[in-house]
Every structure is written in C-alpha cells, then in structure tokens.
Amino acid sequence: MSVGIRHDDLRRRNRAMVIAAVRRAGQPSRTEIAATTGLSHSTISAISADLIGEGILAEGKPSDTGSLKRGRPQVGLGLNPEAAAVMTVVLSLNFLSVTVIDYAGQVISEEQRRLDTLTMSREALIGECVAIVRRRLDDPDIDVRSVARIALAIQGITDTDARAMLWSPITPQTDIAFADILEAEFGIPATMENDCNMMAVALRWRDPERYRDDFIAILLSHGIGMGLVLKGELFTGTHSSGGEFGHMIHRPGGALCRCGRRGCVEAYAGNYAIWRNAKQLGEDTEPVADVSDAQMRALAATARERDGPEREAYRKAGEALGYGLGSLFALIDPAPVAMVGVSAAAFDLIEPALREAIAQTAGGQHSKSISFDTEPNELPLIREGCAMRALTFVDQEIFAPGVPARAGSGKNVA
Amino acid sequence: MSVGIRHDDLRRRNRAMVIAAVRRAGQPSRTEIAATTGLSHSTISAISADLIGEGILAEGKPSDTGSLKRGRPQVGLGLNPEAAAVMTVVLSLNFLSVTVIDYAGQVISEEQRRLDTLTMSREALIGECVAIVRRRLDDPDIDVRSVARIALAIQGITDTDARAMLWSPITPQTDIAFADILEAEFGIPATMENDCNMMAVALRWRDPERYRDDFIAILLSHGIGMGLVLKGELFTGTHSSGGEFGHMIHRPGGALCRCGRRGCVEAYAGNYAIWRNAKQLGEDTEPVADVSDAQMRALAATARERDGPEREAYRKAGEALGYGLGSLFALIDPAPVAMVGVSAAAFDLIEPALREAIAQTAGGQHSKSISFDTEPNELPLIREGCAMRALTFVDQEIFAPGVPARAGSGKNVA
DNA sequence: CAGAATTTTTTTGAGGCTCGAAAAAATGGA
DNA sequence: TCCATTTTTTCGAGCCTCAAAAAAATTCTG
C-alpha cells in the first residue's frame, strides 16, 4: 500500500521544502529557511548552494535593507524568475483568458478574448484554446522552452486526475480532455482545474492569515460553485472535482435547477434563480441562459431601494445558501467563508436571511461568529490560483523530482 | 509550516511501515514485507531483526505450511501478542462495555454492564467508567504494565483532538474530557472517539477489498450517525468529530429533531422519528427517549405485513436518507455505503424510497450502481474499530516513536 | 580607525540509513 | 550426496543530515 521511504527521497523532499519556503516568504535568508523548515543550517546551506547552482534560486542584492543589526548581514534568497515560466488558461462564460507567468510569479504576457461559448462546437472551442496558447508561445518575449506547465481552469466539473472537463455550464459540450489535448499539441504538461478550487488556492496565497487551514470560497454567479480547503488541503471529490455545493438539495422537489433537477441550492441562489424570482416567473420556469452583471447590479439596486419581489428574491437566495451552509457545516464544522462573484456585491441583501437560516441548523450553533468576506470579481482570483497551482507543480515535480504532486490533491497548495 | 524530514525519521517511518505490513498481512515473510513496502531486503532484514530483538515481532513456526516450494522456506513474522495490550471502552445508551486486547488483536478480558445513562449524574457516569476500567486492570490475567493505550467510543460529538465528549444523546451531560480523566487516573494514554468513526475503521479491517479508500458507514439507530473514509483517511470535522450526517437539513422548518432543531435527516429517519410517524403522532411531537430494538423489529414486521402508517414511516425515512445522501454525494461523489444498526435490518423497507430520492439529486447520477451493505449489530463493530485504532496508535507512537499519529487524523487507519 | 562583538554562512568529520551484490542458510529433487 | 532454488543475512559503498568549528561580513566601541 503506502510505500517505504527510500534514502534519496530525503533530499528531494527537503529540496521541495526549501523551494516552498522561499516561495512563501519571498526573500528569506538561509537562517530563516532553517528556522521555518526545522532543518539544520548545514543542510540548508548545502541545498541552497545546489539550487543556486541549478539556477532555481538566486541571491538577492545585499544592498536591500540598510540592516541595522550587527553581525554578518543576511543575504536573501529569491526565486530566479528565469528558472521557468507557466501559463494559465481560464475559460469562463463567453470569455477566454491566458497569461504567462515567470517563475517568481510576475505576469510576462497575456491575452483575453470574447467567445460565444454557449453555441460553439466542440472543435471550435478546443481550437480557440489551442490557438490562443499558440499565440502566447509565439510571443517574442517568451522563451517557449521555459514554459514548464499549463494550468487550465473552467467552471464546472473536472475529474480528480485534473485531465478533463466532465461537464460545464458554459458549453453544451461534455468530457473534453483539455489537459491531454494541450499536452499533445505543445508537449507541455497541463492540468485541468475547477475554477472555484483555484479561487480557494488564490485566497490562501493572498491572505494566509485568514485563509489558512480551513475555509470556503463560494462563487455566487450564474451558478453556485465552491472551493473548499480542509486541514490545509484542497478538498475534492473522490472521482470528480466535487464540492458541488450548488447542487446540494435545499428543498426536495423544489425549484427547477439549471442541472435539470429540482430543489438544488443553485435553483434559489444562482443569478438565474434570483432573476426568475425577482421577475416572479415561477419556480418551474426554464432558467435563462445568462444574466449580465449589469442586469444583476440593477436588480440589487432595486432591491435595496424598495421592498418587493427583488428583495424577496435575494432573501430566498440567502435562505437557500444559509440552509446549504448549515448542512455543510454539520459535516465539516464552520469555517470562514469568502463570497466571490457578482452577487457577492449584493451580499448585504443576502446576509440577513442567510444568517437566519444558518442559525436554524446544526452547523450554525455559533452562527454569529461565522464571518464572511466578499470579493465581487472572480476572474483575477481564478487566474492567480491557476498561476500558483502551476508554479507549485513546477516547484515539486520538476525542481524536486520524485516527490509526487498528485494532481487531485491539494498538498501543493501550501 | 510543514517540517523538514530529519535523518532519523527515516528509520522510524520505515519501522512503522514494517509493523503495519505485519498487522495487515498476519504472518508475512521478510520477502513479502519487502515487496509490499518497496524497501530492500537488507533494510527489512535489519528492521525486523531489531523488532524481534525488542519483542515486538516474533518468528512463526516454520512447520506451519508444508511448503511445496523448493528453496529455503519463508519464515513468517507475526506480532508478539505479549508486546502490549490495549483497552476499549464503549459507552452507548444504557450500556457500558470494556475489553482488553493483546497486541495481536485477541480479546483477553472483557466486562459489560447495564447503566441508566440518561438519568445518571456526571460524577456517576465518570465513576462507572473509571471503576470498570479499574476492575479490568485488576484482572489477574492482565499485566497492568502492558496496557499501553485506552480507546473510548461514544455516540455523539467528540473533539478533533480525541480528548473529550462534547455532546451525546445518551446523557444530558456535556463536555466530559474522558480521555484526560482516564489518563490522569491510570497513567495510560487514552483517546475519545466517535462511535461511527470506529465502525468505519472496523469495516476497513474486516473487508479491505470493499471498504478501501472511500466509503461511508451510516448508523441507523435511535439517532443517525456517520463514519466517513475519504481517500483512505477517516474524515473528521475541523473542530469536532464532524460528519453529522443526521443533522443535515432535509426539510427547512420541518419535523422536530431530538437536537431541538427542525427538518434534520434524523427527524425523519431516526428510530424515534420512524416510531413517531408510524404512530401518527405528528411531526411536532417531542421525540421519545428510547425505542427498544424489539419494538422497532415489531414495527418493521407490521410494515412488511400491510400497507399503513408503519410502511409510510419507513418510506419517509428512506426519502430523508436518500436526499441527505444525495447532498452528501454532491460534495464527495458516491461511494459504497454500509448501513449499520437495528434499522439496517429493515433496510428492505427503506431502500426503495431511498433510491428514488437519491436519483433526484446531483449525487445520484449513477444511483443504480451505488451499493448498500447492512449490518444490524453495531456494538461489535464499534468495539473492533476501537481495538484496531488503539493498536495502530501503539504501533505508531510507541513502537515507532517520532512518527506523529495525530489523534484526529485517520492516517493510522491503514 | 583598529579590534572586539555579533551574526550569518560554510566547512568538516561523524554517525546513520538504505541499497546492491555477494555470501550464507535451508530446503527439495536427482 | 550434490545441485538447484529460494530466503535471509552480511558487507561495503554512497548519501544525507547534523553538530561543532571555522570563516566571513558586518556593526559597535574606545
């Protein structure tokens, strides 16, 4: 079953640890690395000498801070930006966005493009993705050989192996093995990630204080998605990306959901559901394909202005989210929640009913202490998460080979 | 954050691996251990020589199997029963059960006792537990010094550190740090586990083929509990034992649950809920304190015999369990389920509605392929799980020190 | 401004661990 | 009895980490 530790695994693991420490801390000295990793100074010295020799790390300028301390000044170690590059491909409704990022995390090339994802053929969708990647690789600023990994993100369900999109609301197509397709086309390792999981990864890098070991990122958009970090690891289903919070059942046999079933949380809290309730269309009405952000903002403005069906629609959304979170918290215990997406900007309309509902549940025992952050713009978050995910893959698989960075696992989030 | 690997960790981890391999396989030869652990023959030889020298392992009789093969016969290595002993304490409704188990897993002493847990004072409850443990330790057959660990199991919520019972339906008392109490009293390390988690651990040892990396054990008893193994590890909440499947919300504002809230799965599927529906008492009726197994069996018999409120009660239970499982499967993907407890014997009455409900949910996409096992008797399962948990703690913490066997984690299930 | 104090980093030697290869042990078959 | 076969042990090599000492690079002090 689980395999014994060989002697040479040791060095590999400790190399990975040093790289991770540098990526987290920015410009730590060898002494600081020794402290955070718990390894001895001599070991850190040996490993960092290797990594510098290989061009993975680089010593920082000693001039940096006019160190006030006595003694030999610390010399900071940083990631060598030229050690590698990674590419992120984010596919969302009617929108395709690609960035190239150097090893230190700086964007060095990007391109964005509007598409009509809902009506495109399978071939056209794949073709657009391949073409945009090719254009970025052809960018004269980019050394193609340095691009070590591609991370794709898409709204919807992906498989645990991070190879394929299984189902997505942005296209009628299913089961597209994007990762395999890009790998075959460009010879660069690729993974296919779920957008909400990438949001969670990004939150962790942005604010490790708040989003450390256990937290939830919920996407309040046309659909409802979730990224979940538990005990420091990204939580995924056993076969798929999992965490389909939006399709937990809120009311058995209730409102019609975009997925074709009834009573899902999303069927009350997704943009289309809020829209449907605000327009008093009845719960059996077929969900509309898209509601623009502007329309949603207008809806929220109306709801704030006067009592009426708009306000009631947000109340119902809050209730569904609250009961859903309550059920979730019954399983995993409460944790900080980040609300992301256009409806997060209307969280003031959602929160009262949400808190009232959650207080009715087993998970809501300490409902007052549960805290919510809001972030209306999901795209930058998804891009950032993708970038960090791709970079940590490079850290672990390429620069510290032998330490398996399981695709589905979130081990490499940290 | 995560700490570097020191050089001496290597030996400790590999020792733990060898012990685990022997515990799983029974009487493996050194060659077989080398194969399963992936370590070299020389390493296995060195480690097993150490372990035999320390009295942890023992060579089996060579006469065992008249080996038909040519060549030097394999000599099996087994656990030395006298290396240590562990104690399990299982506290359930009106019942307290203790066993002492040797290092090889054989029961060497036991005692069971009826109590009136619902009305006992805090002191009396603790006193009974301490007293029964003391009696077993005084058993002349037991070498007190060899008892290396105590594992308690209780129905209800325990904390992640496995120190305390936070809440339990079997007593009005809350927050009893049983583990600390027993440790202080006897100087033997103790942990406090959730009963359903122990059921899951036991299932894994009983049938590793079926219950390997991902499965669910659901207790259908007076209350509804769950033990969940995901990706090979016992899943627990972040603060508590978590996995409160019974208190996921089935119908917002619905039937009155024993926990005081409304609409929980348990309020439809617990024994008291089935009883309440069968007797047509109305969903607001205060749950009865206990329904005997005999009464439940009579109810099931009636339901099988004729259509009526009894049959309808089981149908409602199935529906609640089905929607609950559907929501759960939306989060974690479907997995094999073991139904345990007295109502598992009535699973034929529950299953049709359960399958119908689950098919209405996102998690039920492949509902036909989801398989259910039933096991009417939970107590032996809980005891077994406790025993294995305590033994693997000894394996890892005492006989391979330095490898942290986190209390809350399920790492040591395997 | 020189030397002392201080802190960081590198070097060195010791001790441990795993591994592969070879040797030893234990058995069945000819 | 001796050979073939399989398991187990032994042995030396190669790494890795660690602690301690040495070296390096500063600031402080008189």
Side-chain angles (χ1 to χ4, degrees):
Chain A
M1 204 141 299
S2 67
V3 131
I5 300 184
R6 307 255 183 60
H7 203 220
D8 36 335
D9 289 346
L10 249 179
R11 203 22 163 338
R12 287 171 177 156
R13 286 191 195 227
N14 287 341
R15 272 173 71 105
M17 200 136 286
V18 169
I19 297 173
V22 174
R23 189 172 290 287
R24 265 201 302 274
Q27 283 261 324
S29 70
R30 290 170 176 80
T31 309
E32 285 166 2
I33 298 174
T36 58
T37 59
L39 297 169
S40 72
H41 286 193
S42 18
T43 303
I44 299 301
S45 192
I47 291 177
S48 49
D50 283 359
L51 292 174
I52 290 169
E54 294 168 38
I56 297 168
L57 299 185
E59 294 198 336
K61 301 255 161 41
S63 62
D64 266 26
T65 48
S67 60
L68 305 156
K69 284 189 305 181
R70 221 149 122 147
R72 179 172 176 174
Q74 302 190 347
V75 28
L77 295 179
L79 301 165
N80 177 7
E82 288 159 28
V86 297
M87 188 180 266
T88 71
V89 180
V90 179
L91 191 50
S92 42
L93 186 64
N94 296 335
F95 200 71
L96 178 60
S97 150
V98 172
T99 57
V100 184
I101 285 135
D102 70 25
Y103 189 56
Q106 296 301 306
V107 174
I108 50 180
S109 177
E110 59 184 315
E111 179 178 346
Q112 297 174 9
R113 208 176 156 73
R114 297 206 67 82
L115 303 175
D116 198 0
T117 54
L118 282 170
T119 60
M120 283 171 82
S121 73
R122 187 184 183 86
E123 289 67 33
L125 193 63
I126 295 171
E128 284 285 352
C129 289
V130 169
I132 199 170
V133 169
R134 191 184 307 284
R135 277 198 300 279
R136 282 311 95 210
L137 291 175
D138 288 346
D139 184 333
D141 294 351
I142 306 292
D143 177 6
V144 180
R145 287 160 308 172
S146 75
V147 176
R149 185 166 273 275
I150 302 173
L152 298 103
I154 193 167
Q155 201 184 331
I157 302 177
T158 58
D159 67 333
T160 334
D161 298 333
R163 309 305 308 163
M165 174 274 274
L166 302 177
W167 176 88
S168 170
I170 70 162
T171 170
Q173 317 300 328
T174 58
D175 297 293
I176 306 183
F178 277 112
D180 295 329
I181 290 166
L182 290 188
E183 271 186 19
E185 189 72 27
F186 300 105
I188 300 171
T191 54
M192 172 91 255
E193 312 281 353
N194 169 272
D195 61 340
C196 293
N197 286 344
M198 294 305 99
M199 288 174 7
V201 170
L203 286 168
R204 199 153 197 258
W205 282 98
R206 273 195 187 177
D207 186 356
E209 276 305 298
R210 181 173 167 80
Y211 301 111
R212 185 191 296 269
D213 289 342
D214 303 287
F215 65 91
I216 303 175
I218 293 186
L219 178 63
L220 301 179
S221 178
H222 199 63
I224 303 291
M226 178 177 72
L228 185 56
V229 171
L230 291 180
K231 300 184 180 145
E233 285 190 37
L234 202 51
F235 178 89
T236 60
T238 54
H239 306 304
S240 70
S241 49
E244 285 297 313
F245 173 72
H247 299 286
M248 287 177 77
I249 299 296
H250 170 46
R251 290 187 185 277
L256 184 61
C257 180
R258 187 172 50 160
C259 71
R261 286 171 285 260
R262 293 185 162 276
C264 304
V265 168
E266 187 179 297
Y268 297 87
N271 285 354
Y272 65 85
I274 297 175
W275 179 264
R276 185 168 60 186
N277 281 331
K279 302 295 173 191
Q280 298 180 287
L281 293 173
E283 295 191 335
D284 294 343
T285 310
E286 195 70 28
V288 296
D290 192 16
V291 186
S292 74
D293 286 4
Q295 285 173 305
M296 287 310 292
R297 278 191 291 267
L299 213 61
T302 312
R304 283 193 195 91
E305 206 171 282
R306 62 154 195 266
D307 202 354
E310 293 85 4
R311 193 175 288 180
E312 175 63 12
Y314 278 105
R315 200 199 59 74
K316 279 189 179 153
E319 187 183 73
L321 290 169
Y323 276 112
L325 275 176
S327 283
L328 179 61
F329 286 161
L331 295 172
I332 63 162
D333 294 323
V337 179
M339 293 289 183
V340 185
V342 64
S343 287
F347 192 64
D348 56 315
L349 295 163
I350 291 172
E351 188 170 5
L354 187 155
R355 286 198 183 269
E356 198 178 317
I358 212 172
Q360 305 298 315
T361 68
Q365 281 166 313
H366 312 95
S367 54
K368 285 195 192 63
S369 68
I370 301 169
S371 71
F372 298 92
D373 266 1
T374 59
E375 164 61 58
N377 208 349
E378 72 263 27
L379 192 61
L381 217 48
I382 297 170
R383 265 203 294 254
E384 242 174 272
C386 261
M388 293 320 297
R389 166 138 287 228
L391 287 171
T392 44
F393 263 115
V394 174
D395 290 350
Q396 298 213 357
E397 286 194 336
I398 303 180
F399 293 155
V403 181
R406 282 178 297 149
S409 128
K411 287 257 156 84
N412 30 16
V413 165
Chain B
M1 203 138 301
S2 66
V3 132
I5 301 184
R6 309 253 183 60
H7 203 215
D8 38 335
D9 289 347
L10 248 178
R11 202 26 166 333
R12 287 171 177 155
R13 287 192 193 227
N14 288 340
R15 272 173 71 104
M17 198 136 286
V18 169
I19 297 175
V22 174
R23 189 171 290 288
R24 266 201 300 274
Q27 283 261 327
S29 70
R30 290 169 178 80
T31 309
E32 285 165 3
I33 298 173
T36 58
T37 59
L39 297 169
S40 72
H41 286 192
S42 17
T43 303
I44 299 302
S45 191
I47 292 177
S48 48
D50 283 0
L51 292 174
I52 290 170
E54 295 168 37
I56 298 168
L57 299 185
E59 294 198 335
K61 302 257 163 37
S63 60
D64 265 27
T65 46
S67 60
L68 306 157
K69 284 189 305 182
R70 221 150 122 146
R72 181 172 174 173
Q74 302 189 348
V75 29
L77 294 179
L79 301 165
N80 177 7
E82 289 159 28
V86 296
M87 189 180 265
T88 70
V89 180
V90 178
L91 190 51
S92 43
L93 186 65
N94 297 335
F95 199 72
L96 177 59
S97 148
V98 172
T99 57
V100 184
I101 285 136
D102 70 25
Y103 189 57
Q106 295 302 306
V107 174
I108 50 180
S109 178
E110 60 184 316
E111 179 177 348
Q112 298 175 7
R113 208 174 154 75
R114 298 205 69 82
L115 305 176
D116 198 359
T117 55
L118 282 170
T119 60
M120 283 172 84
S121 73
R122 188 184 182 86
E123 290 66 34
L125 193 63
I126 295 171
E128 283 286 354
C129 288
V130 170
I132 199 171
V133 169
R134 191 184 309 283
R135 275 198 300 279
R136 281 311 97 211
L137 290 175
D138 288 345
D139 184 332
D141 294 349
I142 306 292
D143 177 6
V144 180
R145 289 158 308 172
S146 75
V147 176
R149 185 166 272 274
I150 303 173
L152 297 102
I154 193 168
Q155 200 184 334
I157 302 178
T158 59
D159 67 333
T160 333
D161 297 333
R163 310 303 309 160
M165 173 274 274
L166 302 178
W167 177 88
S168 171
I170 70 162
T171 168
Q173 318 300 328
T174 58
D175 295 294
I176 305 182
F178 276 112
D180 295 328
I181 291 166
L182 290 189
E183 272 186 20
E185 188 72 27
F186 300 105
I188 299 171
T191 54
M192 172 90 254
E193 312 280 355
N194 170 273
D195 61 340
C196 293
N197 286 343
M198 293 306 98
M199 287 173 7
V201 170
L203 285 168
R204 201 154 196 258
W205 282 98
R206 273 196 187 176
D207 187 355
E209 277 303 301
R210 179 172 170 81
Y211 302 110
R212 185 191 296 269
D213 288 341
D214 304 286
F215 64 92
I216 303 174
I218 293 185
L219 178 63
L220 301 178
S221 179
H222 199 64
I224 304 292
M226 178 177 72
L228 186 55
V229 171
L230 291 180
K231 299 185 179 144
E233 285 189 38
L234 202 51
F235 178 91
T236 60
T238 54
H239 307 303
S240 70
S241 48
E244 284 297 312
F245 174 72
H247 300 285
M248 288 177 78
I249 300 295
H250 171 46
R251 291 188 184 276
L256 184 62
C257 179
R258 187 173 50 159
C259 71
R261 286 172 286 259
R262 291 185 162 278
C264 303
V265 169
E266 187 179 297
Y268 298 87
N271 286 353
Y272 65 85
I274 297 174
W275 179 264
R276 186 168 61 187
N277 283 330
K279 301 294 173 192
Q280 298 181 287
L281 293 172
E283 294 192 337
D284 294 342
T285 311
E286 196 69 28
V288 295
D290 192 17
V291 186
S292 75
D293 287 3
Q295 286 174 306
M296 287 309 294
R297 279 191 290 267
L299 214 61
T302 312
R304 283 194 195 90
E305 205 170 282
R306 62 154 194 267
D307 202 355
E310 293 84 4
R311 193 176 288 181
E312 174 64 11
Y314 278 105
R315 199 199 59 75
K316 279 188 178 155
E319 188 184 70
L321 290 169
Y323 277 111
L325 275 176
S327 283
L328 179 62
F329 285 161
L331 295 173
I332 64 162
D333 295 323
V337 179
M339 294 288 183
V340 184
V342 64
S343 286
F347 192 63
D348 55 316
L349 294 163
I350 292 172
E351 187 170 6
L354 188 156
R355 287 199 182 268
E356 197 178 317
I358 211 172
Q360 305 298 314
T361 69
Q365 282 167 312
H366 312 95
S367 54
K368 288 196 190 61
S369 68
I370 301 168
S371 71
F372 298 93
D373 264 2
T374 59
E375 165 59 60
N377 207 350
E378 71 262 27
L379 192 61
L381 216 47
I382 297 169
R383 264 203 294 254
E384 241 175 272
C386 259
M388 293 321 296
R389 166 138 287 227
L391 287 171
T392 45
F393 263 114
V394 174
D395 290 349
Q396 298 212 356
E397 287 193 334
I398 303 180
F399 293 156
V403 182
R406 282 178 295 149
S409 129
K411 286 254 157 85
N412 30 16
V413 164

